[in-house]
Amino acid sequence: MRNYLSKIDKKTSDLIRMIGQEADRKGISAYVVGGIVRDILIKEKNFDLDIVVDGDTALLAEALAKQGKGRVTLHKSFGTASVKMPEGWHIDFAAARKEQY
């Protein structure tokens, strides 16, 4: 498989790295999912990140918002959080869960 990650623009990779570093500091696992993965593969610009968190979504979102001077919105009833960054990025955090049908 090709190394598509090397094709990510610097601002996107810096933001993903910042999320990873915050997750590491908090002892939380975080994974990039959703449309950004598709857009990386087709080399499309995207300002929307979806992160699945194995841990406290609010803790990670609040830490990222503080570091990046963003604004956090918590959706406690759903266990999710959103961060709007000054540069236009919108980041959604959702808790990892197991579903059974």
Side-chain angles (χ1 to χ4, degrees):
M1 181 171 189
R2 292 184 189 156
N3 182 2
Y4 288 100
L5 296 178
S6 65
K7 307 290 185 203
I8 300 174
D9 66 271
K10 181 167 175 26
K11 288 185 179 185
T12 304
S13 64
D14 287 349
L15 180 58
I16 292 170
R17 187 171 288 110
M18 184 188 319
I19 293 167
Q21 290 168 345
E22 282 299 330
D24 285 346
R25 279 193 275 279
K26 305 292 184 208
I28 296 171
S29 295
Y31 306 91
V32 177
V33 298
I36 190 74
V37 176
R38 174 204 59 231
D39 292 341
I40 290 168
L41 295 173
I42 64 173
K43 300 176 186 171
E44 190 69 34
K45 195 78 169 157
N46 189 324
F47 289 96
D48 182 46
L49 273 177
D50 296 310
I51 308 293
V52 170
V53 178
D54 189 8
D56 189 336
T57 56
L59 181 68
L60 182 55
E62 288 170 341
L64 179 69
K66 183 177 179 182
Q67 182 177 346
K69 297 178 178 58
R71 185 174 33 103
V72 66
T73 303
L74 301 178
H75 311 280
K76 292 182 182 184
S77 60
F78 298 106
T80 63
S82 298
V83 176
K84 181 72 172 171
M85 300 295 270
E87 303 84 21
W89 280 98
H90 180 97
I91 306 150
D92 287 319
F93 295 88
R97 64 185 183 267
K98 183 178 179 180
E99 294 183 4
Q100 192 170 9
Y101 300 97

